């Protein structure tokens, strides 16, 4: 039986981009069975544009901004009868084989939780925006190959987690490990869900034959801003508290502490030091709340081999971060 796929686009004031994004989906060699736009209380008329110019699209409208996580979770719930769900940022343009290649990659191995497309820079498609995301023992998540020639990253393979800006997820495994944690609101939520899948022994995969062009930072407005610094610093603490058992935290402390110190200095030099430190403090408060709510991943002995593989990968990725 043919697998069924939905495609979910979260939108917040994306009138500059959403039309081109949806138009690119009309040219797919394998059309998704359902396209859903979840609008996060836009005030720029982008929701009206979708309604009027793309009647084939299912439009879900929120009265206010629920963040990336709230939007995509609603889209995933509306895709409950599907086998796969593709998440796509509104500031992307998908190549014609984008959907086909992602679905093909998931059909090849039932252990694949997610698969990410090759994301190229919109202004210069010869350069990469993201070829799969990695996480290292310094407490840093980073995009593999960012700013490098795209031709260097033409081999498929395992990655630590998929960037949710252009990735496909297996619905049955989302039902098993849970949806995106809405406490994240935005940033590092894809690291969290990919890490949870890894703990359970599933795979995140990079598919270079699935291609999108990406503007980047379209909703937040710039590469560095108060909103992004506040959320990434808070969520970086929450991410560790959720997914690292206490012994793993202790093991990584000699690298985590200087990693966070370097980030603090980095943002201080750009005028965001105080906001970064406040975000760290809020991260500890959020972590305590997450524990009370049972959101942290419970250590299970049968997952020990997966933890060992993840830890080795954290060390290897620390080296890779400086060899990029």
């Amino acid at each position: 039986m043919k697998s069924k796929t939905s495609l979910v686009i979260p939108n917040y004031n994306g009138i500059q981009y959403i039309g081109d994004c949806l138009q690119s989906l009309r040219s797919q060699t394998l059309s998704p069975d359902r396209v859903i736009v979840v609008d996060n209380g836009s005030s720029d008329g982008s929701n009206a544009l979708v309604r009027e110019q793309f009647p084939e699209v299912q439009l879900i409208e929120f009265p206010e901004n629920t963040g990336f996580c709230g939007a995509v979770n609603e889209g995933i719930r509306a895709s409950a009868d599907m086998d796969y769900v593709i998440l796509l940022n509104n500031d992307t343009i998908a190549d014609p084989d984008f959907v086909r290649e992602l679905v093909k990659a998931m059909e090849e191995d039932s252990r694949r939780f997610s698969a990410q497309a090759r994301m190229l820079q919109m202004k210069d498609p010869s350069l990469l925006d993201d070829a799969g995301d990695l996480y290292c023992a310094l407490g840093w998540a980073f995009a593999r190959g960012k700013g490098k020639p795209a031709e260097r990253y033409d081999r498929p393979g395992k990655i630590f987690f998929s960037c949710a800006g252009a990735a496909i997820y297996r619905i049955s495994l989302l039902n098993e490990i849970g949806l995106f944690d809405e406490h994240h609101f935005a940033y590092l939520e894809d690291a969290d869900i990919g890490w949870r899948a890894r703990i359970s022994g599933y795979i995140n995969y990079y598919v270079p034959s699935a291609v999108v062009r990406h503007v980047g930072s379209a909703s937040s407005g710039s590469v560095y801003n108060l909103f992004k610094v506040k959320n990434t610093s808070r969520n970086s603490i929450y991410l560790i508290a959720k997914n690292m058992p206490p012994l793993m935290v202790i093991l990584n402390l000699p690298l985590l502490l200087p990693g966070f110190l370097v980030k603090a200095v980095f943002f201080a030099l750009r005028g965001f030091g105080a906001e970064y430190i406040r975000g760290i403090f809020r991260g500890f408060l959020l972590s305590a709340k997450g524990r009370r709510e049972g959101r942290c991943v419970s250590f299970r002995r049968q997952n020990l081999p997966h933890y060992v593989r993840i830890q080795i990968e954290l060390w290897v990725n620390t080296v890779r971060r400086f060899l990029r």
Side-chain angles (χ1 to χ4, degrees), residues 6-65:
S6 70
L7 191 148
V8 174
I9 302 172
N11 178 66
Y12 177 66
N13 290 338
I15 195 166
Q16 184 178 354
Y17 308 105
I18 189 70
D20 289 340
C21 179
L22 289 171
Q23 189 63 43
S24 72
L25 299 180
R26 286 176 167 171
S27 302
Q28 293 296 303
T29 56
L30 176 65
S31 297
D33 297 275
R34 185 179 303 147
V35 177
I36 304 170
V37 170
V38 184
D39 186 79
N40 257 332
S42 294
S43 58
D44 65 345
S46 51
N47 48 352
L49 182 151
V50 173
R51 189 183 303 109
E52 295 167 6
Q53 298 186 22
F54 299 91
E56 74 273 20
V57 171
Q58 179 181 343
L59 179 63
I60 299 173
E61 297 180 79
F62 287 142
E64 58 186 18
N65 191 351

Side-chain angles (χ1 to χ4, degrees), residues 83 106 110-114 169-179 197 202-203:
D83 299 294
M106 297 298 277
S110 61
R111 297 174 301 160
R112 291 178 185 168
F113 168 70
S114 72
Y169 295 84
R170 194 179 301 273
I171 295 286
S172 62
L173 297 186
L174 284 169
N175 292 335
E176 177 182 328
I177 70 165
L179 304 186
Y202 299 118
I203 296 168

Side-chain angles (χ1 to χ4, degrees), residues 125-181:
S126 69
L127 299 179
L128 272 171
D129 186 61
D130 195 318
D133 286 348
L134 305 178
Y135 187 82
C136 71
L138 291 165
W140 301 350
F142 56 98
R144 194 170 68 110
K146 191 174 186 69
K148 303 290 185 181
E151 61 189 20
R152 294 185 188 176
Y153 293 82
D154 59 354
R155 293 184 180 181
K158 297 177 183 179
I159 52 179
F160 196 89
F161 67 96
S162 295
C163 171
I168 187 171
Y169 295 84
R170 194 179 301 273
I171 295 286
S172 62
L173 297 186
L174 284 169
N175 292 335
E176 177 182 328
I177 70 165
L179 304 186
F180 288 84
D181 185 343

Side-chain angles (χ1 to χ4, degrees), residues 134 142 144 315-324:
L134 305 178
F142 56 98
R144 194 170 68 110
W315 286 327
V316 171
N317 288 343
T318 302
V319 176
R320 294 177 72 180
R321 175 62 182 82
F322 295 100
L323 295 179
R324 293 194 300 157

Side-chain angles (χ1 to χ4, degrees), residues 277-294:
I277 296 301
R278 283 194 290 267
I280 293 294
F281 178 73
R282 286 191 290 264
F284 282 108
L285 295 179
L286 182 58
S287 299
K289 181 180 181 181
R291 288 191 187 93
R292 292 194 300 270
E293 295 176 349

